[in-house]
C-alpha cells in the first residue's frame, strides 16, 4: 500500500496583468510600503522613546483614523486585507528580532522588489478560486495566470509580487497529500563540481549546461555596459532591467536543471548522500565559478531535503571537512594532496584506478553514512565497493604522503 503524507506545498505562477491591474498594483505596492514604513517609524518611536511595545493591531486602529484624513484618503483605495497582512508581517519581523533570530526590521525602499499578500475568504472561495482556471483578488478582479501545474489543495493566502525585471508572479502554498514512492534499496552518493554539476557514485555525470556559460558571457558584457552609464539615469534604468533579466534567466535555467536531476535521483534511489556546503579547496577559485558551485550545492540540498521527505527517501549529509576527494574508495587510504587538475589517479596503496569525481561521490556516501555497513544493512544493501572504471584519460601518478587508513569494517 502506498503511504500518504500531508504537507504544505508551495506554488509560484507567472501572471500577466492588464494595464488597469498594473496601475492598481502600483498603487497597492506603494500603499503597502507606506503602511509598513509608517508603522515601523511609529513602533520605533514608541520603543526607543517611551520604551513601549506596540503591535500591528494597535497601528491598524491608527490606520482607521488616518484613512479619514483628507490628505491620506488614497489609503482607502487599497483593499484592507493587504494592510492587515503588512502589519502581520511586521509583527512577525519584530517577533524574530526580539527572539534574536533576525536584525531590527528595516524601512522599505521604493526600489525594493515589491510584494503584497491577500487573504482569501473561504466562505466564498468557490467564486474566487478554481485551480487551473480562476483566481480573483479583491480590487484586481480576475488574474491572467499561466498555470504551469495544477495545485490540488486550496490556498488561504496569495502573494502577488513583481521581480526586478518587471515580471509579475502569484505565489501561494496549500496543504496537499503526496503519495510516497515505493520503497527501494538503491543508494547513491553525489559529488557536486564545476565541470560536472552532479556526479553520482554509479558514474553518472550531468555535465555543466552550456547555456549557463553563454548567459554568463552575456551577463558580463551587460554589466560592463551598465557600469558605463550614469547611475540613476533613464538609460541606466533600462540597462539595469537587462542585467536583471539575464540574472533571472540564469537562475531559471539552473533551477530547471537541478529540479530535473533531483527528481530523477529521488525516484531512482532510496538513500541519497550529499556533501555539506563547504569552502574547502574552492576558496582559491574565481568568484563566478565559486558562487555557481555554492549556489548549486545549496539549492541541491534544499531540493533534496523536501523531495526526500515527500517521497519517503533518506538523505545523508557528509561532514563539510570530510576529505572526500582525497580518500581512496577502495582501501580508505587518505592522500595528503589532491590538486584540482587531477581527473584520474591510481591509489599508491592498493593500486585502484579512480575517476576523481566518481571516487569523491562514493566517499561522500561513505562519510555521510558513517562508513558503516550497518547503515546499509537495514535496507538490504551491500556495502558500496569501488568500481572498476574504464574511462579514457591521462593517468597522473601523484606523489602522496599516506596517512594511516581510517578504521572501518567495510570495504576491506
Ligand atoms: Zn586504495
Amino acid at each position: 500500500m502506498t503511504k500518504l503524507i500531508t504537507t504544505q506545498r508551495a506554488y509560484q505562477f507567472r501572471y500577466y496583468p492588464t494595464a488597469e491591474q498594473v496601475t492598481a498594483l502600483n498603487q497597492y505596492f506603494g500603499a503597502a510600503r507606506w503602511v509598513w514604513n509608517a508603522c515601523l517609524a511609529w513602533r520605533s518611536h514608541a520603543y526607543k522613546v517611551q520604551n513601549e511595545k506596540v503591535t500591528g493591531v494597535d497601528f491598524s486602529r491608527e490606520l482607521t483614523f488616518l484613512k479619514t484624513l483628507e490628505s491620506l484618503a488614497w489609503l482607502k483605495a487599497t483593499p484592507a486585507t493587504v494592510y492587515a497582512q503588512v502589519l502581520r508581517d511586521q509583527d512577525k519581523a519584530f517577533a524574530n528580532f526580539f527572539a534574536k533570530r533576525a536584525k531590527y526590521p528595516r524601512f522599505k525602499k521604493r526600489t525594493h522588489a515589491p510584494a503584497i499578500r491577500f487573504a482569501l475568504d473561504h466562505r466564498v472561495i468557490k467564486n474566487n478560486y478554481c485551480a487551473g482556471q480562476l483566481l480573483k483578488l479583491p480590487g484586481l478582479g480576475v488574474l491572467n495566470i499561466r498555470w504551469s501545474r495544477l495545485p490540488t489543495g486550496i490556498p488561504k493566502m496569495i502573494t502577488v509580487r513583481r521581480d526586478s525585471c518587471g515580471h509579475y508572479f502569484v505565489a501561494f502554498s496549500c496543504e496537499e497529500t503526496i503519495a510516497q514512492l515505493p520503497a527501494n534499496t538503491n543508494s547513491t552518493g553525489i559529488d557536486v563540481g564545476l565541470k560536472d554539476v552532479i556526479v553520482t557514485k554509479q558514474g553518472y555525470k550531468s555535465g555543466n549546461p552550456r547555456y549557463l556559460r553563454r548567459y554568463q558571457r552575456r551577463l558580463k558584457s551587460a554589466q560592463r555596459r551598465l557600469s558605463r552609464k550614469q547611475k540613476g539615469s533613464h538609460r541606466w534604468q533600462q540597462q539595469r532591467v537587462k542585467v536583471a533579466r539575464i540574472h533571472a534567466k540564469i537562475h531559471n535555467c539552473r533551477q530547471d536543471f537541478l529540479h530535473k536531476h533531483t527528481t530523477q535521483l529521488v525516484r531512482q534511489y532510496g538513500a541519497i548522500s550529499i556533501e555539506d556546503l563547504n569552502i574547502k579547496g574552492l576558496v582559491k577559485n574565481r568568484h563566478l565559478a565559486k558562487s555557481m558551485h555554492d549556489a548549486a550545492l545549496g539549492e541541491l540540498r534544499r531540493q533534496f531535503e523536501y523531495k526526500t521527505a515527500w517521497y519517503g527517501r533518506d538523505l545523508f549529509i557528509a561532514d563539510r571537512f570530510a576529505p572526500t576527494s582525497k580518500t581512496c574508495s577502495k582501501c580508505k587510504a587518505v592522500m595528503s594532496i589532491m590538486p584540482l587538475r587531477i581527473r584520474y589517479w591510481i591509489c599508491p596503496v592498493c593500486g585502484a584506478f579512480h575517476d576523481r569525481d566518481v571516487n569523491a561521490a562514493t566517499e561522500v556516501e561513505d562519510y555521510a553514512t558513517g562508513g558503516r555497513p550497518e547503515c546499509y544493512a537495514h535496507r538490504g544493501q551491500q556495502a558500496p565497493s569501488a568500481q572498476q572504471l574504464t574511462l579514457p584519460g591521462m593517468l597522473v601518478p601523484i606523489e602522496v604522503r599516506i596517512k594511516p587508513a581510517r578504521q572501518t569494517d567495510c570495504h576491506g
Side-chain angles (χ1 to χ4, degrees):
M1 212 184 79
T2 345
K3 222 179 128 195
L4 300 171
I5 59 152
T6 308
T7 182
Q8 285 289 322
R9 196 167 184 165
Y11 291 93
Q12 174 165 278
F13 302 113
R14 180 88 184 265
Y15 134 65
Y16 299 89
T18 61
E20 293 86 46
Q21 284 172 341
V22 169
T23 316
L25 276 172
N26 276 334
Q27 194 170 15
Y28 300 174
F29 286 146
R33 192 180 66 239
W34 189 89
V35 167
W36 172 279
N37 289 343
C39 183
L40 182 55
W42 189 64
R43 269 179 135 139
S44 302
H45 186 265
Y47 177 59
K48 282 172 189 157
V49 179
Q50 289 141 346
N51 204 15
E52 256 176 53
K53 274 188 196 176
V54 289
T55 65
V57 179
D58 301 322
F59 189 80
S60 81
R61 249 175 258 127
E62 291 285 309
L63 197 60
T64 317
F65 165 71
L66 293 173
K67 278 183 196 172
T68 62
L69 299 177
E70 207 178 318
S71 59
L72 294 174
W74 53 268
L75 278 172
K76 281 185 272 188
T78 302
T81 169
V82 171
Y83 297 141
Q85 297 315 320
V86 169
L87 297 177
R88 200 171 289 177
D89 287 345
Q90 199 172 90
D91 279 349
K92 213 180 271 175
F94 269 96
N96 284 338
F97 166 69
F98 288 124
K100 297 200 161 58
R101 284 189 297 263
K103 284 185 183 167
Y104 195 80
R106 285 198 282 184
F107 288 104
K108 286 202 196 305
K109 284 183 191 167
R110 199 193 189 97
T111 48
H112 192 267
I116 47 173
R117 297 199 297 144
F118 297 83
L120 286 185
D121 187 346
H122 269 230
R123 286 164 301 180
V124 287
I125 192 79
K126 282 207 177 90
N127 304 333
N128 297 326
Y129 177 81
C130 177
Q133 288 171 35
L134 175 75
L135 177 63
K136 204 170 157 188
L137 291 179
L140 293 173
V142 178
L143 307 189
N144 176 17
I145 293 174
R146 187 165 173 319
W147 297 89
S148 45
R149 50 178 32 187
L150 272 191
T152 54
I154 292 172
K156 291 195 177 90
M157 193 79 74
I158 308 275
T159 302
V160 178
R161 67 178 190 90
R162 184 177 65 208
D163 69 7
S164 50
C165 5
H167 297 158
Y168 288 81
F169 298 90
V170 290
F172 55 83
S173 72
C174 29
E175 200 167 83
E176 289 195 356
T177 309
I178 297 172
Q180 299 204 331
L181 291 167
N184 115 16
T185 56
N186 303 331
S187 74
T188 194
I190 290 163
D191 183 58
V192 176
L194 297 172
K195 194 165 157 282
D196 291 285
V197 178
I198 292 166
V199 177
T200 70
K201 78 160 191 185
Q202 280 80 2
Y204 169 77
K205 295 182 169 193
S206 70
N208 196 352
R210 280 275 162 87
Y211 45 79
L212 283 182
R213 295 255 168 88
R214 198 167 67 222
Y215 289 126
Q216 273 159 19
R217 264 203 302 276
R218 241 182 250 179
L219 180 64
K220 245 185 178 171
S221 81
Q223 276 168 336
R224 209 174 304 128
R225 244 169 274 153
L226 180 68
S227 70
R228 287 200 206 104
K229 295 196 170 24
Q230 176 85 41
K231 202 172 173 185
S233 71
H234 179 60
R235 283 174 181 238
W236 179 85
Q237 278 295 352
Q238 281 181 322
Q239 188 62 30
R240 191 193 57 80
V241 171
K242 276 185 194 162
V243 171
R245 285 207 173 145
I246 301 172
H247 270 302
K249 189 86 193 165
I250 290 177
H251 177 78
N252 292 346
C253 288
R254 192 174 52 218
Q255 286 296 93
D256 180 59
F257 178 85
L258 292 176
H259 269 299
K260 278 174 183 155
H261 278 89
T262 51
T263 299
Q264 178 60 33
L265 289 163
V266 166
R267 280 208 189 116
Q268 211 170 339
Y269 297 104
I272 295 170
S273 302
I274 54 170
E275 49 187 323
D276 202 353
L277 187 59
N278 64 48
I279 347 134
K280 65 159 189 196
L282 283 147
V283 181
K284 278 171 244 142
N285 271 310
R286 297 236 175 92
H287 296 299
L288 195 59
K290 182 177 148 27
S291 67
M292 284 290 298
H293 175 269
D294 283 359
L297 197 52
E299 179 58 19
L300 202 70
R301 177 166 177 174
R302 191 190 71 83
Q303 291 182 12
F304 272 135
E305 270 171 359
Y306 78 75
K307 287 181 188 179
T308 50
W310 281 1
Y311 297 116
R313 304 308 205 195
D314 292 317
L315 181 68
F316 298 100
I317 312 287
D319 187 87
R320 73 176 57 195
F321 298 113
T324 50
S325 25
K326 287 183 194 165
T327 308
C328 167
S329 58
K330 196 169 179 198
C331 71
K332 305 292 155 191
V334 180
M335 311 298 135
S336 59
I337 48 155
M338 185 59 68
L340 267 175
R341 69 187 152 81
I342 292 175
R343 308 308 311 170
Y344 302 98
W345 55 286
I346 290 173
C347 174
V349 179
C350 70
F353 173 61
H354 293 304
D355 172 298
R356 177 205 180 87
D357 296 335
V358 175
N359 178 67
T362 311
E363 278 310 294
V364 165
E365 178 173 59
D366 199 29
Y367 278 103
T369 55
R372 293 190 307 272
E374 305 92 87
C375 291
Y376 299 94
H378 71 277
R379 295 189 203 94
Q381 170 85 17
Q382 289 232 318
S385 63
Q387 287 187 327
Q388 293 304 307
L389 290 160
T390 49
L391 288 161
M394 201 168 54
L395 300 184
V396 187
I398 55 165
E399 290 212 2
V400 287
R401 291 197 311 275
I402 306 301
K403 290 181 191 167
R406 281 190 296 130
Q407 290 298 311
T408 49
D409 303 326
C410 61
H411 320 287

